Amino acid sequence: QVQLVESGGGSVQAGGSLRLSCAASGYTYRRYCMGWFRQAPGKEREGVAAIYTGGGTTEYADSVKGRFTISQDNPKNTLYLQMNSLKPEDTAMYYCAALSPMGYGGSWYEARLWTDFGYWGQGTQVTVSS
């Protein structure tokens, strides 16, 4: 099993910044890839960013490229999402997720892949006001 606990959400004005953290525990070998997803009311959960734990390769949704940065601190078993130049449309519940090696070859941005082969945190709310 893998346990994930997010923190760092909050309310900020447009143009501001937040850093989300995700503390991971459990079987390290089950964490082939780590990611951040978000879900706004009435919308589907969407992939924001992902990082492959072995080589550090990162992926980003087009909507956040150049504004968000995903990173990991392996000794601390912590995943981060630095969010700059926030926009009201970034408002959502943000979820940390871990994908097991069984998800190899799948599309990282598809939440269903992580549901089938991974683990989810409880989420942290991010609200951006205009």
Side-chain angles (χ1 to χ4, degrees), residues 35-56:
W36 289 98
F37 285 73
R38 66 186 181 187
Q39 188 167 19
K43 295 188 177 181
E44 293 189 354
R45 192 169 296 190
E46 62 175 1
V48 174
I51 184 167
Y52 293 89
T53 57

Side-chain angles (χ1 to χ4, degrees), residues 4 18-22 32-38 46-53 55-61 64-74 78-84 94-99 108-109 114:
L4 304 168
L18 284 173
R19 188 176 80 156
L20 305 183
S21 299
C22 173
Y32 155 68
C33 184
M34 299 291 294
W36 289 98
F37 285 73
R38 66 186 181 187
E46 62 175 1
V48 174
I51 184 167
Y52 293 89
T53 57
T57 301
T58 57
E59 303 277 6
Y60 293 95
V64 306
K65 281 181 181 177
R67 301 190 297 123
F68 290 12
T69 302
I70 188 171
S71 61
Q72 59 184 356
D73 186 331
N74 288 334
T78 303
L79 180 74
Y80 301 101
L81 184 68
Q82 178 66 45
M83 305 185 294
N84 299 327
Y94 282 71
Y95 297 90
C96 174
L99 184 65
W108 74 268
Y109 49 84
W114 300 66

Side-chain angles (χ1 to χ4, degrees), residues 70-119:
I70 188 171
S71 61
Q72 59 184 356
D73 186 331
N74 288 334
K76 294 184 178 180
N77 285 323
T78 303
L79 180 74
Y80 301 101
L81 184 68
Q82 178 66 45
M83 305 185 294
N84 299 327
S85 302
L86 282 161
K87 304 175 181 180
E89 51 263 43
D90 294 319
T91 295
M93 184 71 78
Y94 282 71
Y95 297 90
C96 174
L99 184 65
S100 76
M102 293 179 65
Y104 176 81
S107 299
W108 74 268
Y109 49 84
E110 293 188 358
R112 178 61 184 270
L113 179 72
W114 300 66
T115 298
D116 290 346
F117 301 116
Y119 307 86

